[in-house]
Amino acid sequence: PVVVTFELRRWALNSNIFTINGSKNLMFVLQAEVFPYPEIGNEEVEEINQLVAPVERFFTEEVDSAKIDREAKIPPETLNGLKELGLFGIMVPEEYGGLGLSNTMYARLAEIISLDGSIAVTLAAHQAIGLKGILIAGNEAQKQKYLPKLASGEHIAAFCLTEPGSGSDAASIQTRATLSEDGKQYLLSGSKIWISNGAIADVMTVFARTEVDVDGVKKDKISAFIVERAYGGITSGKAEDKLGIRGSNTCEVSFDNVPVPVENVIGEVGSGFKVAMNILNSGRFSMGSSSAGMIKKLIELTAEYAATRKQFNKSLSEFGMIQEKFAMMALNAFVMESMAYLTAGMMDRPGLPDCSLEAAMVKVFSSEGGWICVSEALQVLGGLGYTKDYPYERYVRDCRILPIFEGTNEILRMYIALTGMQYAGKALTGKIKEMKKGNIGMVFGVVGKKLKSSLGGSVDYGLTGKDGVVHPSLAESAKKFEQNVSHVGSTVESLLYRYGKTIVDEQLILKRVADVMINLYAMTAVLSRASRSISIGLRNHDHEVLLANTFCSDAFFKNNYLMTQLQKHSPENNDANIKKIAREVLENRAYICSHPLERTF
Amino acid sequence: MSGRVLVGVKRVIDYAVKIRVKPDNSSVVTDGVKHSMNPFCEIAVEEAVKLKEKKLIKEVVAVSCGPQQAQETIRTALAMGADRGIHVEVTGKDYETLGPLQVSKIMAALAKKEDAQLVILGKQAIDDDCNQTGQMTAALLDWPQGTFASEVSFDGDKIKVVREIDGGLETIKIKTPAVVTADLRLNTPRYATLPNIMKAKKKKIANVKPADLGVDLTSRLEVVRVDEPPQRQAGVKVETVDDLVGKLKEAGTV
């Protein structure tokens, strides 16, 4: 599947992190974008309901997930059914034969498609990343030539970036494309691994190093190519025998001097890395809705069991520890949905806004939340959940890939933390310059402000109150959110003071910053969504308020703890010890304690 | 012959939903409950579209009676291949008491207005299981009827209908114009694919009021009470036939 690279580290070390002129604002401050919750027109709602019905029906009646998992194959009839339904070209514009649906609609359909993990990954590999390059960076000729057959499913697409030596560090790929003497084609050679649809794809987006001329100096830069299997020289290895999503084909793809016409370069030569990042960023948000869709289904299945299974003369649903699991599943589904559709709604706004930070947060939250929820759902079924007679173990196996592909959660946390801190860094530059000039008053100003907010001085970003955008029944949660935000602002400031540029290497710190930011975005999403539900009187909005307040309260305390750990010399912070333990273990490549039964006398 | 077929489609609670009775026992809960096209109506639409694909008829018109949401059902029919739709607007109390008598009056009026050659309906709706609308429509129009159809074919200017009846299968030939009601084995309805749903957006749905058709919607029926069926009791195992007879006598059934 797919990876993201951590280019930020390279960039941060080579440039002055504090003088970035990025237009990316810390989204918390952008009230206007997240309140009110994105609304779609009546017509669109009707259309979505229309489109959802046949897809749901197909998946319930025609998809045998157990069989697909058992045989590690999606039957051709099922694949054909998916093609006929139009699911291979959901976001391809109508003029090229696709459905031309928005990100929001795509997210809605993803909720149903996720009922079968193998199908979901096959379709995503094809359109969320496989053909996405042509869609967002291709020229008219490329679109006309390739999109129609890809949209109908006649041709299947794949995304070829990862190599044996280059996973998260995607910029280090070695596959090379050399321009021919006559300048009419590139010869592509190299090996790619973990390629979804690798054996069945007819059209592949392949990334390779190309030699470019930068101001007279020859440099190696990555370019993106549209490569047809028909060009020859392409071999696919045997399908990987995977833990989950077994019906999705994953294999090695090798290129041996494959001739690729120069017209098939996507975007500019040398701009491949950016193309790759844009592709990956644009598909990530839908993991929120697909995980939510899966959890909602699991709630139905497990609730049925919990209500009927009796032990100690009570049904399971009467026991606290079982009830907790259902609450957790409902909360997770609620947050994932809210985040996914908030992000999709923002992405659908005119002007192609950059929501890569938000999409990354949705991905991290949903992949980990999904993993925990499927495990707990299995737990409710006990021994039965552990058998193949029930689908729970398959859901567990299928979900394990979520924190790994599409950018490992470790990489995405680094991206989230560093991007989120950019804004704080920018604001800080001014203060640092003042300090250097010897403006002591400035320093006192900063210290004084920090003292005030750390003493719990009231913080008001205007979310609540007379002109507030949050409904009164959510006011307390909004206040907690505002407190967290101000606290995180000062926390980030002091971290940047303390570490400066070296912060890029402090992963344990950045992990906490990322977690706080993810929680904050989640809180924003639920507050926005619940406010809207109350205002327009959606059915069961009281339940939504309950979910929103419960989540925000929980997240508030978690954030506070994380930020406490981030204080200088915080006793709650065990990082130094953790690093020491890790170092000693890794040096010895083993557990180093003497056995408890050993003697020295 | 106009070559036009009228197909009636009804919006009902989805077959997979667990039905619940309202606390006041007046009716079943419909709020927030998943609805879809009556399965027998789907079969009716499929048959009409198949006839058009075989070029035996020229136009398929989907009709539904009900509130705003009935349009969704018509759109599904359009996505399956119907050419245009007619939404007969019935709301509020009128909709609550809408039954076969009223619908058949509407269908009859429309059949005349649209100069239909054939009216195809589902044999019954899965919510009220009336199995009357087709028959009443034919009677009002004084047209022949082929009900419980498991096979329909054109034979010159007549229609051959194979009917599923208690004793087996009965084949009849009826003159057109006629009314046919679809039974389960008539065909397997196609999925409304997403591209077809998008195309269907461009097809027209006309809006009509029952008054425009001169139809009186007053109901001759009054629903007194709706109850859930009694809970199924657990069975009892007995050792001998004598025990069985004894238990049956106890229960007063022997």
Side-chain angles (χ1 to χ4, degrees), chain A residues 137-157:
Chain A
N139 58 39
E140 191 58 40
Q142 291 165 336
K143 287 181 184 176
Q144 300 263 7
K145 181 171 182 195
Y146 291 106
L147 289 180
K149 291 212 171 105
L150 288 169
S152 69
E154 195 182 324
H155 283 165
I156 298 189

Side-chain angles (χ1 to χ4, degrees), chain A residues 2-9 167-169 273 276-288 339 355-368 401-421 504 507 509-519:
Chain A
V2 297
V3 298
V4 80
T5 198
F6 184 44
E7 179 74 347
L8 274 170
R9 186 183 191 285
S168 287
D169 189 5
F273 190 77
M277 291 308 106
N278 287 339
I279 294 173
L280 294 168
N281 288 336
S282 73
R284 220 165 258 147
F285 72 95
S286 66
M287 200 179 281
M339 285 171 94
C355 298
S356 43
L357 174 59
E358 288 82 355
M361 293 193 276
V362 173
K363 194 269 186 186
V364 173
F365 187 93
S366 310
S367 52
E368 290 174 11
I401 191 68
L402 296 177
I404 300 175
F405 73 4
E406 293 240 22
T408 62
N409 286 5
E410 286 76 16
I411 283 297
L412 290 180
R413 278 191 161 88
M414 298 291 285
Y415 175 67
I416 292 166
L418 289 173
T419 312
M421 289 198 308
V504 295
Q507 289 207 342
I509 298 211
L510 293 175
K511 179 183 181 208
R512 292 185 182 90
V513 173
D515 285 343
V516 170
M517 294 196 169
I518 295 170
N519 281 340

Side-chain angles (χ1 to χ4, degrees), chain A residues 379-580:
Chain A
Q379 185 78 6
V380 173
L381 272 283
L384 288 178
Y386 202 64
T387 67
K388 288 203 182 241
D389 299 328
Y390 289 78
Y392 306 93
E393 57 83 35
R394 189 185 67 242
Y395 276 109
V396 166
R397 285 185 290 108
D398 283 348
C399 273
R400 188 56 189 85
I401 191 68
L402 296 177
I404 300 175
F405 73 4
E406 293 240 22
T408 62
N409 286 5
E410 286 76 16
I411 283 297
L412 290 180
R413 278 191 161 88
M414 298 291 285
Y415 175 67
I416 292 166
L418 289 173
T419 312
M421 289 198 308
Q422 265 187 54
Y423 180 78
K426 219 170 85 170
L428 204 50
T429 316
K431 291 183 189 147
I432 292 182
K433 281 192 179 146
E434 291 299 304
M435 280 174 64
K436 284 192 178 152
K437 275 197 233 157
N439 190 336
I440 304 299
M442 193 69 244
V443 179
F444 282 137
V446 171
V447 171
K449 212 176 81 182
K450 279 200 353 217
L451 266 176
K452 183 167 155 214
S453 57
S454 66
L455 286 174
S458 93
V459 173
D460 194 351
Y461 290 110
L463 285 180
T464 56
K466 188 168 71 80
D467 297 316
V469 289
V470 172
H471 191 271
S473 53
L474 298 161
E476 243 188 74
S477 295
K479 284 260 156 265
K480 288 180 178 144
F481 170 75
E482 285 172 335
Q483 257 188 57
N484 270 168
V485 170
S486 116
H487 196 178
V488 95
S490 54
T491 304
V492 164
E493 269 183 26
S494 64
L495 285 173
L496 289 171
Y497 272 133
R498 222 185 305 158
Y499 290 96
K501 284 187 200 175
T502 67
I503 195 143
V504 295
D505 290 319
E506 297 293 328
Q507 289 207 342
L508 296 178
I509 298 211
L510 293 175
K511 179 183 181 208
R512 292 185 182 90
V513 173
D515 285 343
V516 170
M517 294 196 169
I518 295 170
N519 281 340
L520 288 175
Y521 185 51
M523 288 162 90
T524 312
V526 301
L527 287 172
S528 180
R529 174 199 176 161
S531 286
R532 170 180 176 264
S533 301
I534 307 169
S535 316
I536 65 174
L538 280 185
R539 207 165 41 90
N540 292 329
H541 60 256
D542 293 335
H543 188 72
E544 287 193 41
V545 172
L546 184 58
L547 290 171
N549 285 336
T550 310
F551 177 74
C552 287
S553 167
D554 205 43
F556 174 67
F557 289 113
K558 283 194 178 127
N559 282 347
N560 283 341
Y561 184 65
L562 287 166
M563 288 190 277
T564 307
Q565 289 180 312
L566 289 172
Q567 305 294 357
K568 199 165 185 179
H569 305 311
S570 159
E572 287 85 356
N573 185 317
N574 258 324
D575 288 359
N577 287 1
I578 287 174
K579 289 193 195 162
K580 189 151 191 268

Side-chain angles (χ1 to χ4, degrees), chain A residues 122-228:
Chain A
T122 302
L123 288 177
H126 166 82
Q127 61 193 314
I129 49 172
L131 58 79
K132 202 52 108 61
I134 305 174
L135 203 53
I136 61 177
N139 58 39
E140 191 58 40
Q142 291 165 336
K143 287 181 184 176
Q144 300 263 7
K145 181 171 182 195
Y146 291 106
L147 289 180
K149 291 212 171 105
L150 288 169
S152 69
E154 195 182 324
H155 283 165
I156 298 189
F159 183 84
C160 303
L161 173 63
T162 308
E163 296 177 8
S166 310
S168 287
D169 189 5
S172 68
I173 54 172
Q174 295 298 304
T175 301
R176 183 161 283 283
T178 336
L179 192 58
S180 61
E181 290 261 327
D182 60 9
K184 289 206 177 129
Q185 59 186 18
Y186 281 90
L187 291 177
L188 190 66
S189 286
S191 250
K192 299 288 186 186
I193 58 166
W194 306 132
I195 306 304
S196 290
N197 298 347
I200 56 174
D202 309 282
V203 176
M204 300 176 238
T205 302
V206 185
F207 296 86
R209 303 199 95 79
T210 46
E211 209 178 62
V212 287
D213 225 297
V214 180
D215 303 322
V217 181
K218 287 213 194 295
K219 277 199 174 146
D220 251 7
K221 281 195 170 259
I222 298 174
S223 300
F225 298 90
I226 305 172
V227 180
E228 297 179 35

